[in-house]
Amino acid sequence: MAASISAPFPHLILPKGQIKDGLYSALRDAILDGRLTAGTKLPSSRALAEMMSISRNSVLAALERLLDEGYLFTKPSSGTYVAEVVPDQLIHIQESPKKATTSKPHALNINPNIEALLASWREQSWSSQKKKMFHVGVGCVDLFPHQLWGKLLTQAWRQSYYQLGQFHDPRGYLPLRQAICEYVRSTRGLNCNEQQIIIVNGTQQAIHLTAYALLQANDEVCLDEPGYDAAFNIFRSFGAQVNLIKSDEEGMQVADITNHYLKSKLVYTAPSHQFPLGGTLSLARRFALLDWANKEEKWIFEDDYNSEFRYGTHPIQALQGLDQQQRVIYSGTFTKMMFPEFRLGFMVVPEALIETFSAAKYYTDVRSSYLEQVALALFIQQGHYARHVRKVRKACYERQQVLIKAINERLSDTLDVQPTDSGIHLICWLKGAWTEQEFIAHCSALDLAIQPLSRYCQLAPKKAAVLLGYAAHQPEEIIENIKKLAFSLKK
């Protein structure tokens, strides 16, 4: 390795901006393009400052950064030199073997319950996530109060200065649990206290924790057909046997459970708005399900993902609020009302299961995001959430009516809209000889994220249908895209 400069020190031009950053970039570029070769000794900081006509402090700051990042090294009583191998070369060296690897291991030894889900997972059209129009499950993202939320996050960050490094309850931030408790008791008729509330990262984690805490391999679970595909696959991943229960205009056919599936340990249901058909579980069936769960000592998982999106009537009393024996595990989410990447929801668990679910949450991911919990607590406590709900509900109803009218005017010979007074998507039955595959092909060509009903069916559906989400779109967008679809279908 050379102990001194073997060539004239290169001429360096500093870019605009802070001088120390400019010198860092100029020296780094000279090293990477070979003007400063490995082993080259740099002038002293004082000499370099004179050469560049800049302050010595700027030189020292730039050299210190290059030393920290591995571009330079020092020799005691000798000076500063360019490193033999710079960080960029290390990255290149590490990547090369990965690119050359083409063989796959013969045995992965994957959990067979997870391996069984891979085919279903691969069938999901992830490319459709990029399609914006009519995506199912997305709320009024255009109405989210970004500026207000930013202020609340800033307030939460200031508050966290005294909280960081402290142990927090795995059930979640207590003021948030208290705010949620007060809100759901007044709006959904729940019978609970804040100790029963556990903050989770959305509905899917709530289902996962329930399976983790209560189920063993080969336990039986009852689920709607058609129904929420994520719930079906989560239960399967735990080795559970899933019994499919058909739904009609009164919701899940509870008699099918009590007559044929007495061994079922858990019933998953969305009584306020069955997904994807949108039916509401009748009061008689609610009491029948609760009575069966009490007598047989079974559990009910109530997925109340859509309760705040009711337009013609007031929200229906939650199943948990009717439960006198604490057999219901209630799940709610903020994702639909906020935005898809807002991964906070909550569970209300029976008092006897508080410790069990707290441990399950702790050993799953310890706890949910602290800052977002604090901001959400402030959002609810200061009345912003209730106002946001009212605003979103009004907008959703308007957008639903616009979509129904547009379909009836332009696609009445193709689609039959199923009436509903709730939710953020419509289910439309295909008319004539149309198949789901043919219809979805037209939609995909127009970058429309319309989904087939069969995606949520484990058994072949008797009638073909499609789902159209509408909450995330302005009325003008809805009308324009229905026009495009109608024109495409007539070609």
Side-chain angles (χ1 to χ4, degrees):
M1 181 183 297
S4 60
I5 298 176
S6 56
F9 192 77
H11 178 65
L12 301 178
I13 299 176
L14 301 186
K16 293 181 179 180
Q18 287 196 346
I19 295 176
K20 62 179 182 179
D21 295 335
L23 181 58
Y24 160 83
S25 298
L27 287 170
R28 180 178 177 275
D29 290 345
I31 292 171
L32 293 177
D33 64 23
R35 286 178 290 150
L36 285 174
T37 58
T40 298
K41 181 180 180 181
L42 267 64
S44 68
S45 59
R46 191 180 304 279
L48 190 53
E50 292 177 359
M51 290 169 57
M52 303 295 298
S53 299
I54 59 177
S55 74
R56 189 182 175 209
N57 285 339
S58 296
V59 173
L60 290 172
L63 294 179
E64 184 177 2
R65 183 175 173 185
L66 290 164
L67 285 166
D68 289 341
E69 293 181 3
Y71 291 97
L72 304 175
F73 71 97
T74 59
K75 285 184 178 182
S77 304
S78 178
T80 302
Y81 297 84
V82 176
E84 286 283 356
V85 180
V86 298
D88 306 71
Q89 293 172 318
L90 286 173
I91 294 171
H92 177 73
I93 291 169
Q94 291 169 359
E95 286 179 348
S96 297
K98 293 182 181 179
K99 292 179 180 178
T101 302
T102 56
S103 61
K104 295 182 180 179
H106 295 291
L108 298 177
N109 295 320
I110 296 172
N111 178 344
N113 295 324
I114 298 296
E115 191 170 20
L117 303 181
L118 292 180
S120 175
W121 186 82
R122 291 176 185 130
E123 288 175 2
Q124 302 300 329
S125 179
W126 301 111
S127 60
S128 69
Q129 303 292 331
K130 299 177 182 178
K131 300 172 183 177
K132 296 181 179 180
M133 284 303 303
F134 303 127
H135 205 291
V136 175
V138 181
C140 296
V141 292
D142 58 316
L143 299 182
F144 183 72
H146 294 277
Q147 189 172 5
L148 170 61
W149 185 251
K151 291 180 180 179
L152 294 177
L153 278 174
T154 300
Q155 187 175 343
W157 175 249
R158 289 197 299 266
Q159 181 176 330
S160 73
Y161 180 82
Y162 303 100
Q163 299 291 328
L164 296 178
Q166 297 184 21
F167 177 81
H168 297 285
D169 194 323
R171 288 175 295 177
Y173 181 58
L174 180 58
L176 175 57
R177 290 190 286 128
Q178 291 170 333
I180 290 173
C181 182
E182 182 178 346
Y183 183 81
V184 296
R185 289 180 66 173
S186 62
T187 62
R188 301 292 293 115
L190 265 65
N191 180 20
C192 64
N193 59 63
E194 64 268 21
Q195 300 304 318
Q196 294 174 256
I197 293 178
I198 297 176
I199 306 301
V200 293
N201 302 324
T203 300
Q204 287 187 210
Q205 187 180 50
I207 300 170
H208 189 279
L209 288 179
T210 300
Y212 181 34
L214 301 180
L215 299 181
Q216 300 179 51
N218 299 317
D219 278 346
E220 294 186 26
V221 176
C222 289
L223 186 74
D224 305 76
E225 169 63 19
Y228 185 29
D229 55 335
F232 177 83
N233 287 319
I234 289 171
F235 292 134
R236 284 179 63 203
S237 73
F238 282 89
Q241 177 182 325
V242 181
N243 302 318
L244 302 174
I245 311 299
K246 293 184 179 179
S247 293
D248 55 27
E249 61 275 4
E250 292 186 58
M252 176 183 269
Q253 296 179 2
V254 174
D256 199 21
I257 301 172
T258 58
N259 292 335
H260 302 106
Y261 300 111
L262 296 177
K263 292 183 179 180
S264 295
K265 190 171 183 179
L266 174 74
V267 174
Y268 168 95
T269 183
S272 296
H273 189 270
Q274 195 274 344
F275 183 85
L277 299 180
T280 300
L281 190 64
S282 66
L283 190 60
R285 291 186 182 181
R286 289 172 184 242
F287 282 123
L289 183 58
L290 289 170
D291 184 60
W292 171 79
N294 179 36
K295 289 180 179 178
E296 301 296 330
E297 296 185 336
K298 309 296 185 179
W299 299 109
I300 301 169
F301 184 97
E302 179 179 10
D303 185 351
D304 204 11
Y305 72 101
N306 230 2
S307 63
E308 289 168 318
F309 294 93
R310 298 196 74 84
Y311 312 121
T313 60
H314 293 292
I316 297 173
Q317 167 113 36
L319 194 62
Q320 196 271 358
L322 300 173
D323 178 21
Q324 299 299 313
Q325 305 299 325
Q326 297 211 20
R327 306 305 304 180
V328 176
I329 299 158
Y330 178 94
S331 171
T333 179
F334 295 99
T335 300
K336 303 292 187 297
M337 192 57 66
M338 307 287 269
F339 52 90
E341 298 306 318
F342 188 77
R343 305 309 305 166
L344 281 185
F346 63 97
M347 304 178 71
V348 180
V349 303
E351 291 184 340
L353 293 178
I354 291 175
E355 191 174 34
T356 301
F357 274 82
S358 298
K361 171 64 174 175
Y362 179 79
Y363 288 111
T364 299
D365 66 353
V366 183
R367 63 187 66 86
S368 299
S369 170
Y370 173 77
L371 287 178
E372 287 189 329
Q373 288 188 69
V374 176
L376 182 57
L378 295 170
F379 194 58
I380 297 173
Q381 291 166 348
Q382 296 175 12
H384 304 302
Y385 185 72
R387 287 191 291 272
H388 183 59
V389 167
R390 291 193 294 269
K391 182 179 180 181
V392 165
R393 189 183 290 140
K394 181 179 178 182
C396 275
Y397 177 69
E398 178 188 1
R399 295 172 186 191
Q400 182 204 67
Q401 295 304 301
V402 167
L403 178 57
I404 292 173
K405 182 180 179 182
I407 291 174
N408 288 336
E409 288 179 351
R410 299 183 179 276
L411 294 170
S412 59
D413 56 341
T414 307
L415 298 178
D416 182 17
V417 180
Q418 179 172 302
T420 180
D421 67 347
S422 60
I424 55 176
H425 75 266
L426 289 177
I427 182 166
C428 299
W429 303 97
L430 288 167
K431 293 182 177 181
W434 279 100
T435 66
E436 288 183 354
Q437 185 177 8
E438 291 171 338
F439 188 85
I440 294 299
H442 279 273
C443 297
S444 296
L446 298 173
D447 282 337
L448 304 180
I450 295 173
Q451 295 180 358
L453 174 63
S454 58
R455 169 179 171 172
Y456 303 101
C457 298
Q458 306 308 319
L459 306 173
K462 294 182 179 179
K463 293 178 62 179
V466 292
L467 281 65
L468 292 83
Y470 54 80
H473 313 303
Q474 294 283 345
E476 299 78 14
E477 292 180 284
I478 293 172
I479 295 170
E480 181 61 28
N481 281 275
I482 291 297
K483 285 181 181 179
K484 290 180 182 178
L485 179 57
F487 179 76
S488 172
L489 296 178
K490 291 177 181 178
K491 285 184 179 180

